[in-house]
Amino acid sequence: MLRLWIASLCFLASVVQAQDVAEISGVVREDVELLIQRGLDDDVAYAFVRGLTTNVGPRLAGSEAEARARSWATRELAELGFANIRTEPFMIPYWSRRVDRARIVSPAPQDLVITALGGSTSTPPGGVEAEVIRFETMRELRAASTDVITGKIVFIDEKMTRTQDGSGYGMAVRKRRNCATTTAEKGGVACLIRSVGTQARRFAHTGMMARSAAVGDGPAAALSPPDAEQLTRLLENGPVQVHLDIQVETQAEAPSGNVIAEVVGRERPEEIVLIGCHLDSWDLGTGAVDDGAGCGIVVGAARLILSLDEAPRRTIRVVLYGAEEVGVLGGRAYAERYADEMGQHILAAESDFGADRVWRFETRFGDGALPYARAIQQMLEPLGIAPGPNSAYGGPDISMLPRLGVPVVSPRQSGWDYFDLHHTPDDTFDKIDQDKLNQNVATYAAFTYLAAEMNWDFRKPAE
Amino acid sequence: MLRLWIASLCFLASVVQAQDVAEISGVVREDVELLIQRGLDDDVAYAFVRGLTTNVGPRLAGSEAEARARSWATRELAELGFANIRTEPFMIPYWSRRVDRARIVSPAPQDLVITALGGSTSTPPGGVEAEVIRFETMRELRAASTDVITGKIVFIDEKMTRTQDGSGYGMAVRKRRNCATTTAEKGGVACLIRSVGTQARRFAHTGMMARSAAVGDGPAAALSPPDAEQLTRLLENGPVQVHLDIQVETQAEAPSGNVIAEVVGRERPEEIVLIGCHLDSWDLGTGAVDDGAGCGIVVGAARLILSLDEAPRRTIRVVLYGAEEVGVLGGRAYAERYADEMGQHILAAESDFGADRVWRFETRFGDGALPYARAIQQMLEPLGIAPGPNSAYGGPDISMLPRLGVPVVSPRQSGWDYFDLHHTPDDTFDKIDQDKLNQNVATYAAFTYLAAEMNWDFRKPAE
């Protein structure tokens, strides 16, 4: 009984401690409020997405267009007055679609709307024609015997669930990642998946299927949702023969790079607060929500801080990563290049989830640094942002940083509509809502400034 | 003063007369109520659209697919138990797209989402490349001098207004019809229009530009709305060079036909109540809202009447017109073939405006037949349908019938969303809402039965 009483007391004490909020001086508080106010009224972020998606357009990793995006961004960042602007190049394996088309040959000849998955191999020249075998889920395909699959085109009709936090995506991606491999293992000739994504319109959704390589294990493509349903209806009546032609171009090595710009810290310039996004996009749309918006947000936020009378103590480093879509290659290149300087990385964040509002602010800090988390979260409350748990993911290009000891934060955006556009031809500039984008700009400006100005140590362990 | 008094009296008398409602016996009233109830619960119409769009798919006028649609429909109508099923063939000029693609060459190389307009000519093999000149409206293009257009690709960015009654379409179609001709007259090399239609997604909207011929006066294509906006943004910065490649196939003559099925009248089988739709569709989608839905509605409605214990007095003729999209050629063929029997056409209606609910019931009757209009309108009130004016258009394939003295009705469907799908790749079966479709089935069953069962003369002049 005494032990239980002591345990309760300890629990209460820890709750009280977790509620501790670090103090922010009136001057800093005023600066943060000013940044929030200016952020909500910002023009830089919107103009950046507009310019990137219009003047460059689609920018496939390793392509000439991605190189143009680096040049364009470099010029823009210079015009905005950033310091230490540079491109840090690296080489990547290159994949690009040349032809991707499919049609039903029988019983009802008609074209299908498809897109080759990133990393698909080519079919034989002129394409393949085979009967389609449908599976409700990836699991069903795994359970199926080689006999029924050999010589066939596999079709996985698994659907994705719409969620605010995007958690439906991870599950849906499994079929994209594994369909070609499992199909090849079982003797199938190609794989078709129902598009990953939540939209119901006639757009197909691309995305990477290979792992750590330019190409995967076979030809694979995604069907638009209406086409997946059409195929399903036809299969109810009997065998369906499909012709699939995918021709891709690959190169062992192609240039990519990370574009970096800084607001140099006035007291401890060697200490880095990193805010990132990725500059590359899939080739179908113009990469507005994925991830032009993210780049607009971090550039816009850093630019607001740059326009203050005095730079914050620490350096703010904006990183526009290259080659995210094809395996987070820019993030890896960065982590490798700066391996020895991870101790000087105070905090990192990445905006790569569209242009909708932030609804929750998550951290991944040392247990002793929770009062800092709470202080930031309190400053963000007027933006309609709730405090989140201390288990933030960070973002794809900074996903390796927590393992290297770097604290991260995740301003979580609503992903309710994100997968209606993501990786489809419909990811274009007209989808960006400036008011929602600016709520992100205000959020990034606020926490980035606090992290750079305060002497907080986000690694601080529990006492 | 006396004259004014008499005029007032006459006006009042005419109002009273207009409010007269023809009587419907209890037995007929019960049959109509039964048809409405069954219509709201119908399965035939939905299954018909499903089958047509799935088992045939797209069915371009004059194509092998349109011929398959006739065969498929003939079989279905026979299975449903209709009488006098027949195809009435006619020949049409044939146009089909082989290649239609465009890309921005400079300043920012990227593909554009376009679709060749029906009747576009081919560009020279391999395409044309030229500077783009933009006009806000068709009127602006007309006012422009030959000097500024010669050698250029004309781009008309005129937008369409969303309306319930579809009235925005007529205006928007003017640019589609006239762009190539005006461009050619002024020495331009090709014409691009912002897609007709109200959707804002990355779909291009096709449709006929030629008049009474397979091909028009030059190469012409529609840009998806996001692509039109992209082009506009780029043009703000300076010259834009576009490469456009359109290759089409044309034939002087190709087969089309109208498919006809009947419910034979029990007393005066020679008197016809015609309800129609069109069987052909554009090639991009599977023609679900345009006009698979309309065919489902008229077939479903006629099938409900067929299933009554006793056929109505007059014959109900269901006409699935061919080649509507390319110039109402099925409608013209029908009017020609039955020119001598127009006097026996008691009433005609066509369903060709999607699958949304009917909100108003319009007539075009002789002035003495308005009590019949009112009687029908009263029976439709429980379906949420308001009475409409006596100036109905009828529908495209029956548009020539009023001039030949045939009374028509228009059950007006809501067109609020229709032009989001119409003539785009996204016009697919998944867009059909069975409840809304069935409100149409109930409506058509009710007025068609009344017109066939009652001895009403809709031509009746004012007394």
Side-chain angles (χ1 to χ4, degrees):
Chain A
M1 190 64 189
L2 181 69
R3 270 217 298 231
L4 188 64
W5 184 82
I6 292 172
S8 299
L9 206 68
C10 291
F11 173 75
L12 278 172
S14 75
V15 167
V16 170
Q17 193 179 7
Q19 300 301 321
D20 280 354
V21 181
E23 221 170 282
I24 302 172
S25 72
V27 178
V28 173
R29 191 173 285 276
E30 273 170 30
D31 277 344
V32 173
E33 282 163 359
L34 184 72
L35 287 168
I36 288 178
Q37 185 194 315
R38 288 186 183 165
L40 293 175
D41 222 28
D42 182 60
D43 282 326
V44 171
Y46 193 68
F48 196 90
V49 196
R50 186 185 200 274
L52 180 62
T53 57
T54 304
N55 298 316
V56 182
R59 39 203 187 277
L60 187 67
S63 69
E64 178 272 339
E66 199 199 20
R68 273 192 287 124
R70 289 192 293 279
S71 307
W72 180 88
T74 301
R75 280 195 307 275
E76 288 293 309
L77 292 165
E79 269 180 38
L80 290 169
F82 285 97
N84 300 333
I85 300 165
R86 59 198 187 267
T87 291
E88 296 177 344
F90 52 89
M91 300 302 281
I92 64 166
Y94 178 71
W95 176 96
S96 142
R97 83 189 73 239
R98 286 288 164 266
V99 173
D100 50 356
R101 59 189 165 208
R103 63 174 199 275
I104 295 171
V105 176
S106 72
Q110 54 193 282
D111 289 339
L112 294 167
V113 172
I114 66 155
T115 184
L117 296 178
S120 170
T121 60
S122 295
T123 57
V128 287
E129 190 179 313
E131 195 184 322
V132 172
I133 180 166
R134 176 181 177 274
F135 297 94
E136 196 73 48
T137 59
M138 186 65 216
R139 187 187 298 264
E140 257 189 27
L141 169 62
R142 281 214 193 84
S145 77
T146 300
D147 299 357
V148 302
I149 292 170
T150 302
K152 300 232 174 79
I153 294 175
V154 161
F155 163 40
I156 306 182
D157 199 21
E158 197 170 302
K159 291 164 194 70
M160 176 170 156
T161 306
R162 187 182 291 274
T163 62
Q164 186 184 19
D165 66 359
S167 51
Y169 188 56
M171 231 179 87
V173 161
R174 284 193 314 207
K175 72 179 172 191
R176 195 176 78 201
R177 284 266 163 88
N178 299 318
C179 182
T181 308
T182 310
T183 297
E185 280 167 10
K186 295 181 185 250
V189 298
C191 172
L192 293 173
I193 61 169
R194 183 191 178 97
S195 277
V196 169
T198 48
Q199 58 94 13
R201 300 197 173 270
R202 206 148 179 221
F203 297 118
H205 176 285
T206 193
M208 209 59 187
M209 61 173 239
R211 300 156 193 271
S212 321
V215 293
D217 297 316
L223 287 157
S224 92
D227 290 84
E229 288 169 23
Q230 181 80 327
L231 201 48
T232 298
R233 282 191 297 270
L234 279 167
L235 284 163
E236 285 170 16
N237 298 339
V240 176
Q241 203 79 6
V242 161
H243 186 273
L244 176 69
D245 188 7
I246 297 177
Q247 303 301 326
V248 306
E249 183 198 335
T250 60
Q251 293 167 25
E253 291 223 306
S256 186
N258 297 328
V259 175
I260 295 182
E262 294 178 346
V263 181
V264 180
R266 74 173 190 277
E267 274 185 14
R268 289 195 293 284
E270 72 287 0
E271 293 187 1
I272 305 297
V273 176
L274 185 160
I275 50 176
C277 65
H278 66 86
L279 201 55
D280 66 311
S281 78
W282 277 107
D283 51 344
L284 303 179
T286 59
V289 303
D290 186 16
D291 184 31
C295 291
I297 289 162
V298 297
V299 169
R303 177 68 180 75
L304 285 175
I305 298 172
L306 185 62
S307 68
L308 294 175
D309 292 340
E310 196 177 52
R313 291 193 169 90
R314 293 159 166 163
T315 290
I316 293 164
R317 178 176 290 172
V318 177
V319 186
L320 316 184
Y321 292 96
E324 186 274 345
E325 294 292 3
V326 295
V328 200
L329 304 182
R332 291 184 196 178
Y334 183 93
E336 207 168 291
R337 183 180 193 113
Y338 291 96
D340 295 342
E341 298 169 37
M342 282 299 138
Q344 292 167 8
H345 280 67
I346 301 303
L347 185 71
E350 181 174 12
S351 178
D352 181 23
F353 203 56
D356 209 340
R357 287 178 200 280
V358 177
W359 60 283
R360 192 161 81 173
F361 190 84
E362 300 175 4
T363 56
R364 191 182 194 101
F365 292 174
D367 287 338
L370 290 180
Y372 310 140
R374 193 151 288 275
I376 296 171
Q377 286 161 343
Q378 279 192 0
M379 295 256 23
L380 296 178
E381 270 177 20
L383 290 166
I385 299 171
N390 194 37
S391 54
Y393 157 61
D397 290 293
I398 61 169
S399 58
M400 51 294 286
L401 300 194
R403 285 195 301 273
L404 304 172
V406 179
V408 299
V409 296
S410 284
R412 298 294 297 272
Q413 294 170 276
S414 174
W416 192 255
D417 301 325
Y418 182 54
F419 294 103
D420 291 350
L421 301 170
H422 179 258
H423 293 200
T424 75
D426 203 29
D427 179 6
T428 50
F429 176 66
D430 49 296
K431 311 308 185 300
I432 306 287
D433 177 317
Q434 190 171 3
D435 286 343
K436 292 178 177 175
L437 189 78
N438 281 351
Q439 188 251 21
N440 284 269
V441 175
T443 304
Y444 272 78
F447 81 77
T448 302
Y449 181 75
L450 282 169
E453 178 60 21
M454 303 301 288
N455 286 317
W456 294 339
D457 170 16
F458 300 108
R459 288 170 165 88
K460 193 176 177 189
E463 279 167 14
Chain B
M1 190 66 190
L2 181 70
R3 270 217 297 231
L4 188 64
W5 184 80
I6 290 171
S8 298
L9 205 69
C10 290
F11 174 73
L12 278 172
S14 77
V15 167
V16 169
Q17 192 179 8
Q19 300 300 321
D20 280 352
V21 182
E23 221 169 281
I24 302 172
S25 73
V27 179
V28 172
R29 191 173 286 275
E30 272 169 31
D31 277 345
V32 173
E33 282 164 359
L34 184 73
L35 286 168
I36 288 178
Q37 185 194 316
R38 288 187 184 163
L40 294 175
D41 222 28
D42 181 61
D43 282 327
V44 171
Y46 192 69
F48 196 91
V49 196
R50 187 187 200 273
L52 179 63
T53 57
T54 304
N55 299 316
V56 182
R59 40 202 186 278
L60 187 67
S63 70
E64 178 273 337
E66 199 200 21
R68 273 193 286 123
R70 288 193 293 278
S71 306
W72 180 87
T74 301
R75 279 195 308 276
E76 288 294 309
L77 293 165
E79 268 180 39
L80 290 169
F82 284 96
N84 301 335
I85 299 166
R86 59 199 186 267
T87 291
E88 296 177 345
F90 52 89
M91 300 302 281
I92 63 166
Y94 178 71
W95 176 96
S96 145
R97 83 189 74 239
R98 286 288 163 266
V99 173
D100 51 355
R101 57 190 165 209
R103 63 173 199 276
I104 295 170
V105 176
S106 74
Q110 54 193 282
D111 289 339
L112 293 167
V113 172
I114 66 154
T115 185
L117 296 178
S120 170
T121 59
S122 296
T123 58
V128 288
E129 190 179 313
E131 195 184 321
V132 173
I133 179 165
R134 176 180 177 275
F135 297 94
E136 197 74 48
T137 59
M138 187 64 217
R139 186 187 299 262
E140 257 190 26
L141 169 62
R142 281 214 193 86
S145 77
T146 300
D147 298 358
V148 301
I149 292 170
T150 301
K152 301 233 174 79
I153 294 176
V154 161
F155 162 39
I156 305 182
D157 199 20
E158 197 170 302
K159 291 165 195 68
M160 174 170 157
T161 306
R162 187 182 291 274
T163 62
Q164 186 184 15
D165 67 0
S167 51
Y169 187 56
M171 231 180 87
V173 161
R174 284 194 313 209
K175 72 178 173 193
R176 194 175 80 204
R177 284 268 164 87
N178 298 318
C179 183
T181 307
T182 310
T183 297
E185 280 167 9
K186 294 179 186 252
V189 297
C191 172
L192 293 174
I193 60 169
R194 183 190 178 99
S195 277
V196 169
T198 49
Q199 58 94 14
R201 300 197 173 271
R202 207 147 179 221
F203 297 117
H205 176 285
T206 192
M208 209 59 188
M209 61 173 239
R211 301 157 194 269
S212 321
V215 293
D217 297 314
L223 288 158
S224 93
D227 291 83
E229 288 168 22
Q230 181 79 327
L231 201 48
T232 298
R233 283 190 297 270
L234 279 167
L235 285 164
E236 284 169 17
N237 298 338
V240 177
Q241 203 79 5
V242 162
H243 186 274
L244 175 70
D245 187 8
I246 297 178
Q247 303 301 326
V248 306
E249 183 199 335
T250 60
Q251 293 166 25
E253 290 224 304
S256 186
N258 297 329
V259 175
I260 295 182
E262 294 178 345
V263 181
V264 179
R266 72 173 192 278
E267 274 186 16
R268 287 195 294 284
E270 73 287 0
E271 292 187 2
I272 304 297
V273 176
L274 185 160
I275 51 177
C277 66
H278 66 85
L279 200 55
D280 66 311
S281 79
W282 277 106
D283 51 343
L284 303 179
T286 60
V289 304
D290 186 16
D291 183 30
C295 291
I297 289 162
V298 296
V299 168
R303 177 67 180 75
L304 284 175
I305 297 172
L306 186 62
S307 68
L308 294 176
D309 293 339
E310 196 177 52
R313 290 195 170 89
R314 291 159 167 163
T315 289
I316 294 164
R317 179 175 290 171
V318 177
V319 186
L320 316 183
Y321 292 95
E324 187 273 344
E325 294 292 4
V326 296
V328 200
L329 304 182
R332 291 185 197 178
Y334 183 92
E336 208 168 292
R337 185 180 192 111
Y338 290 97
D340 295 341
E341 297 169 37
M342 282 300 137
Q344 291 166 10
H345 281 66
I346 302 303
L347 185 70
E350 181 173 12
S351 178
D352 181 24
F353 203 57
D356 209 339
R357 287 178 200 281
V358 177
W359 60 285
R360 192 161 81 174
F361 190 85
E362 300 175 4
T363 56
R364 192 183 192 100
F365 292 173
D367 287 338
L370 290 180
Y372 310 139
R374 192 151 290 274
I376 296 171
Q377 285 161 342
Q378 280 193 0
M379 294 253 29
L380 296 177
E381 269 177 20
L383 289 166
I385 299 171
N390 194 38
S391 54
Y393 157 60
D397 290 293
I398 61 168
S399 58
M400 54 292 287
L401 300 194
R403 284 196 301 273
L404 303 173
V406 179
V408 299
V409 298
S410 285
R412 299 293 298 271
Q413 295 170 276
S414 174
W416 193 255
D417 301 326
Y418 183 55
F419 294 103
D420 290 350
L421 302 170
H422 178 258
H423 294 200
T424 76
D426 204 28
D427 179 6
T428 50
F429 175 66
D430 49 296
K431 310 309 183 302
I432 306 287
D433 177 316
Q434 190 171 2
D435 287 343
K436 292 178 178 175
L437 190 76
N438 281 351
Q439 188 251 20
N440 284 270
V441 175
T443 304
Y444 272 78
F447 81 75
T448 302
Y449 181 74
L450 282 169
E453 178 60 21
M454 303 301 288
N455 285 317
W456 293 340
D457 170 16
F458 300 109
R459 289 170 165 87
K460 194 177 176 187
E463 280 168 12

